[in-house]
Structures are given as structure tokens and as C-alpha cells.
Amino acid sequence: MRKSLLFPSLNLKIYLMRKFLTLVSATFITGSLFAGGLVTNNNQSAMFTRTQNRNASTGIDAVFFNPAGLTKLNDGFYLSLNNQTINQTRKITNDYPYLSGTPKEYTGTVSAPFYPGIYAAFKTGKFAISAGFNPIGGGGGATYEKGLPSFEMSVADLVPLLNSKNIPTSQYAADIYFEGTSVYFGYQASVSYEINKMFSAAAGLRMVSAKNTYTGSLTNISVNPNYPAFGSSFNGSMVPATDFFTAGATTLNTLATGSALYVAGLTPIVQAGFGGVLLSNGTSVGLTEGQVGQIQQILGAAGLTPEQIAAQTIASSQGVLSVAGPAFASNGAAMTEYAGATEDTYVDVEQTGIGFTPVLSLNFSPTDKLNIAIKYEFKTKLELTTKVRDGKGGGVFTDGEKVIADLPAILFLGVEYKPISKLSLAGTFNYYFDQNVDYDGSELYDIDMIDDNFLEYGLGAEYGLSEKLRVSAGWLATKTGVNEEYQSDQTYSTDTNSFGAGFGFRITPMIDLNVGGQFTMYDEGEKTFNHMLGEVPVSVTETYDKETWLIGVGLDFAF
């Protein structure tokens, strides 16, 4: 049977931009890009950068890490100004066989040139009051110049799907771009009180102001179908996909209309008893040569060979047309939908919201050499409101839609020990209650992506080379609790090891300079899943990798 314009099982549902950014709004950009849990940052001072362990801090950065420890300061006013410059590279490899170049690597860069931390505290007697400002989540922007595999796979599907419908196609192309920015600014205030020489406590509240932006485009989708039946320009050269599907819709709709007209037009001939006459002899029963030729063309489009067409009678021709007509119409509608799906699409979205985090901390100093700190941050209920700017949403975001973006409760434990006056050792253990946060939409979709709560632990040391110069180094590791269901090219989490080092220099008795660097290595993640090519599952394996480096500089003032 020769090529047919009928596509009995046509299911051209690649969705394209309908998939574009579907999961991004949850955790792709808003998540922790640096030290911290899935969505929470913990690298909040230059001192942290160079030691990696500050949970038991009794310095000015205790405003964030250990508010109860501020009672260890001498009476007076303290101010700390910090900034970190952070860069992250994300690499995703995908082996979907229909991508152009397999396995194909996608690289995303995350940049946060300004990552501030500002802390102030006033200590008098047994009391200390403090305030802080920092990016508690996000803090950077991610750019994927070539998009992501989940975007491109849907475009790559065009080639095998068209071939499966007897439309020879070997290439696709598209311009795919995505950029997202996110920052969750935290504004914190606390009151600390010294219960006695060993114990102090603090209570505070953090306001979290969140803002995410997503801009992206999927444009210039093209294919190279060799299918002159839809037009002479479709000869194997690259053409806009929308043009091809629009031409196909026009052709199929014309055939559908012609089929319906001839089904009705042949009815009187059949009723008159001439249904057994060969179609090729139709002029003997009232058809014109032009009408016979048009019917034969439609029969050919329906898939009949020249031999089969020559054997058709008036009645059998009417039967074929009665079946082919609705199929032409159905596939014409599919082609119209497909033409729309392959048009240039843009996304320009902003999401904003405010939440509040109660913070409690306790500091315990059994000796002058040992300090132990506990801090508990309650779960932050955070709801973001979506604003689609300039009417651009790509069918993914809905203007005014509410998105849950809660931050988990966190338990922080810290120990600092000074065996000698020049040496300070520190340890950290953080426990993130991720299982109590609906990261994965499980409340709506019954998808469980979190097996265990996120853990963070490490060790650090500082040594005084002189009265003015101190050097330090530290290590911090994380163990993620997500399972394979969580992992995707848009949001993934793996275990990490971070190493930091730096120095502190006392410029004057009132001013300290802290400089540190940090490098984070991520375990490689992998996921195997089925990508639906129409109704056929195709096994795909993706690997995920990251690396992050940062430089922190801070000035601490004591008045």
C-alpha cells in the first residue's frame, strides 16, 4: 500500500512549552544553591566560608547562627558586613536516542555576585538585641543557553513520530533558552538573655520575602519532512514546523470536505442501482471526468494503490470515502493543534510571597573552653503568587495562581572547643525536617519523593598565628534524603562535601577582616525513566552533576 495521508493512530501530543518550566517553580531555582538543605541556605557569613562550622558562634555572626550566644559578647554595639561571590556549574547528560548528539550534555551556570549578610547587635548586661539580613534561600540566577533535556526531548520527538506516520524526516532544530532568578531575603530580629554564667537563651522572628522570576523561549522549531503531498516546499529541506503542520491541516481538511461532498453526491447514483459500476466508468452514470479524477485522488490519499483504485466501484468508493472523510477531519484537527504547539513561545513570570519563621536558641557553656549551642527554626509557611508579565505564560503558569513554597523546620547543633588559647575546634550537625514539607506535591498527586530528612555535619578549626592573624579551615558534608522520584533535570539533590579555608586579620582593635573561600563537590546523581514517545515508552538515563565555588569577605566592627 502506498503512502497515505490518513494517520489512524495519530497522537501528536508533544506539549512542548506545556512541559516547559512545569517543575521549575517548585525548587529548581529557589533551592539551596550553596551550603544548606534542599531549599535553605546556611552559608551566611565570611567566617562561615573560612571555617564551614559556625553553629556555636559567640561572635557577631551569632545573630544568625546562635542568637543565644550573643550574651557572650562584651557590652557594646557590634556590626558585621559580609558579601560572597558565588558561582555554580550544573551539568546534565541525557541519552535519549532521538536527541541531536547522544548522549547530550546540557550546562547551566548559576551566578550570585552579590550575596550579602548584614548583622547588628547591642549587648548590655544580661540582654542582647540583634537584627540580621541575608538570603535565606536562593540568591542567584541560573542560565541554560540550550535549555534542558526535558524541553528538547519533546521537540526531538517530532522526527520519530513523523516517520512513524510515513513522513520521512531526519532532522529537527530549535532555539531553546531559559533563565531563572530567585532570592528569599530573610529579615531577622532576636532578643537574647543570659540566665546564668552557663546558660543563655534567645527568641526571634524572621520575615522571609521571596521573589522568583522565570524567562524563557522556545522558538524557530523546524524539521525536514520529505512529503510533497502537503506542498512542493516539503522536499527534505529544513522548514518551520508550524508551516508544515499548517499545510498538512489545510490539505487534510480539504480532503475531508471533498470526501463528505462525494459521499453525498454518489448516493443518488447508488440508489439508482448503479453502485456496481466501476468508478473509472463513472462518466456513464453521470459523473464528469474531473469528478472521477478528484475521487480517485482522494482514494489515493486514503492509501489505496493504483491497482486498488482501478478496481473500485461507485459503491465501494463511497464506502471508502465515508470512512476516510472523518479520519481526514480528525487528523486535520490534530495537525492544527500541532501547528499551534510548534509556534514560538515565550515565558515571562514573577512569583512573590512573604512568610514568617520563629527562631529559638539555647547556649550552654559548662567551662571557659567549651561552648554548646542549639537552635530550632520552625517551619516557614510560604505561599507565592504568580504574575504572568506581558501576557506571556506559555500555558504553564496562570496569572494569580498560588504556589506552595514552604521552608522546612531545622534543628541546628554546634560545639566549639578551645584546648589552648590559640586553637579553636568546631563541630556542626543540622537536621532538616523535609518530610514535613510538601516539596513534591504529594498532598495532591500522591507522589512520595522524600525518603529521609536532610542531614548536614562537619568539622572546622581556627589557629592564631599572631595577635592579629588567624587562619582556619573546615569541612562540611550533606546527606540528602530524596529518592529517584525527586530527581529531574530541573531539580535534583545529591550528597556533597564542602571545603573552606581563609584567614582573619585584626585591622584595629575595633575592626576585623575575614576572607574565605569554599569549594563544594557533589556526588553524581543518576535516574532512569521512561519518556513517552506518543504512546510508546522509551527508556532514558540522565546523570546530574554540580560544582560550586565561592569567595567571602567580611568586616566586623565592635564599638
Side-chain angles (χ1 to χ4, degrees):
M1 183 176 286
R2 68 178 199 177
K3 297 177 183 177
S4 166
L5 291 183
L6 286 179
F7 303 91
S9 59
L10 188 63
N11 187 23
L12 299 176
K13 296 180 179 179
I14 64 168
Y15 301 112
L16 300 173
M17 286 298 287
R18 298 178 189 179
K19 289 183 177 180
F20 190 50
L21 304 176
T22 301
L23 300 178
V24 174
S25 59
T27 55
F28 172 48
I29 298 301
T30 62
S32 167
L33 300 179
F34 324 115
L38 294 177
V39 296
T40 311
N41 295 332
N42 199 32
N43 53 308
Q44 299 295 0
S45 72
M47 275 291 291
F48 176 92
T49 302
R50 69 182 184 88
T51 65
Q52 299 294 293
N53 293 263
R54 294 297 292 166
N55 281 5
S57 168
T58 54
I60 180 59
D61 64 348
V63 171
F64 174 79
F65 292 103
N66 179 28
L70 292 171
T71 62
K72 297 295 182 181
L73 295 172
N74 295 323
D75 286 0
F77 178 73
Y78 298 82
L79 178 67
S80 180
L81 305 176
N82 303 266
N83 186 63
Q84 297 173 59
T85 298
I86 307 171
N87 285 277
Q88 183 182 94
T89 300
R90 301 181 176 198
K91 294 182 180 179
I92 302 156
T93 303
N94 182 291
D95 70 354
Y96 185 51
Y98 299 108
L99 291 173
S100 57
T102 303
K104 188 167 185 177
E105 184 176 280
Y106 300 78
T107 300
T109 57
V110 180
S111 177
F114 302 105
Y115 185 92
I118 303 173
Y119 308 109
F122 179 72
K123 163 66 168 35
T124 178
K126 290 180 176 290
F127 285 93
I129 57 174
S130 61
F133 166 76
N134 50 35
I136 198 65
T143 301
Y144 285 85
E145 296 287 350
K146 297 182 180 180
L148 288 166
S150 59
F151 309 159
E152 187 173 349
M153 281 193 295
S154 295
V155 181
D157 287 348
L158 287 168
V159 172
L161 286 174
L162 289 174
N163 279 302
S164 71
K165 308 308 173 186
N166 294 320
I167 301 177
T169 309
S170 60
Q171 298 179 44
Y172 73 89
D175 294 329
I176 307 173
Y177 176 81
F178 168 74
E179 180 179 7
T181 66
S182 174
V183 62
Y184 284 22
F185 281 128
Y187 305 83
Q188 179 177 323
S190 298
V191 177
S192 309
Y193 178 71
E194 182 186 276
I195 301 170
N196 55 44
K197 294 298 182 181
M198 294 176 61
F199 288 97
S200 59
L205 184 69
R206 178 187 300 123
M207 183 184 78
V208 179
S209 175
K211 180 179 180 180
N212 303 327
T213 64
Y214 309 110
T215 57
S217 60
L218 180 53
T219 59
N220 300 321
I221 299 174
S222 57
V223 288
N224 67 332
N226 187 1
Y227 207 75
F230 284 173
S232 59
S233 61
F234 307 121
N235 56 10
S237 59
M238 296 294 287
V239 296
T242 298
D243 291 355
F244 176 72
F245 293 115
T246 298
T250 299
T251 300
L252 290 166
N253 290 333
T254 299
L255 290 169
T257 299
S259 296
L261 290 174
Y262 281 116
V263 166
L266 294 178
T267 296
I269 298 176
V270 173
Q271 290 177 343
F274 300 113
V277 175
L278 288 174
L279 175 63
S280 57
N281 293 329
T283 54
S284 66
V285 291
L287 294 175
T288 67
E289 289 185 3
Q291 290 172 330
V292 171
Q294 288 175 353
I295 295 173
Q296 289 174 333
Q297 287 179 349
I298 296 174
L299 294 178
L304 273 65
T305 64
E307 293 77 12
Q308 291 171 325
I309 293 173
Q312 293 300 305
T313 65
I314 297 293
S316 64
S317 297
Q318 185 186 44
V320 172
L321 295 177
S322 65
V323 174
F328 285 135
S330 175
N331 289 292
M335 285 285 185
T336 299
E337 181 181 355
Y338 210 18
T342 53
E343 291 179 341
D344 291 351
T345 310
Y346 302 87
V347 170
D348 190 356
V349 172
E350 177 181 283
Q351 294 178 327
T352 56
I354 293 177
F356 295 90
T357 312
V359 181
L360 300 177
S361 71
L362 182 68
N363 194 80
F364 175 52
S365 301
T367 70
D368 291 339
K369 293 184 176 182
L370 179 63
N371 195 65
I372 302 171
I374 301 174
K375 183 179 71 164
Y376 183 76
E377 296 187 357
F378 289 79
K379 178 180 177 179
T380 307
K381 298 289 292 182
L382 185 59
E383 186 177 73
L384 306 183
T385 300
T386 302
K387 179 181 179 181
V388 178
R389 297 183 292 204
D390 299 326
K392 297 176 181 178
V396 176
F397 294 102
T398 302
D399 193 56
E401 181 181 11
K402 305 293 184 180
V403 178
I404 295 174
D406 296 346
L407 305 180
I410 312 170
L411 178 65
F412 299 88
L413 302 177
V415 177
E416 188 173 83
Y417 179 63
K418 296 181 178 180
I420 57 176
S421 60
K422 290 185 176 182
L423 178 63
S424 177
L425 305 176
T428 287
F429 179 82
N430 300 329
Y431 189 83
Y432 297 78
F433 294 87
D434 292 322
Q435 289 181 308
N436 295 331
V437 176
D438 188 29
Y439 294 116
D440 48 34
S442 58
E443 293 180 4
L444 292 176
Y445 305 112
D446 194 27
I447 302 172
D448 187 6
M449 299 181 179
I450 310 293
D451 287 341
D452 299 295
N453 289 318
F454 194 98
L455 302 178
E456 191 172 28
Y457 45 89
L459 297 170
E462 182 181 61
Y463 185 78
L465 296 177
S466 68
E467 290 185 2
K468 289 189 173 184
L469 182 62
R470 307 173 306 281
V471 294
S472 60
W475 158 77
L476 192 69
T478 66
K479 183 173 180 56
T480 187
V482 305
N483 58 41
E484 193 177 74
E485 290 294 331
Y486 180 91
Q487 311 288 37
S488 75
D489 60 358
Q490 300 167 22
T491 171
Y492 54 91
S493 175
T494 60
D495 297 346
T496 70
N497 283 277
S498 297
F499 300 91
F503 67 90
F505 183 76
R506 181 147 294 173
I507 301 173
T508 73
M510 296 176 59
I511 305 175
D512 267 9
L513 170 69
N514 291 294
V515 177
Q518 173 187 323
F519 181 73
T520 299
M521 298 180 295
Y522 297 74
D523 288 355
E524 187 176 83
E526 183 175 289
K527 180 178 182 178
T528 298
F529 59 95
N530 284 329
H531 172 76
M532 297 306 296
L533 177 58
E535 298 179 352
V536 179
V538 179
S539 180
V540 178
T541 297
E542 282 185 342
T543 59
Y544 314 107
D545 197 12
K546 301 181 196 177
E547 62 179 31
T548 302
W549 66 266
L550 61 87
I551 296 174
V553 179
L555 285 173
D556 295 345
F557 302 88
F559 301 96

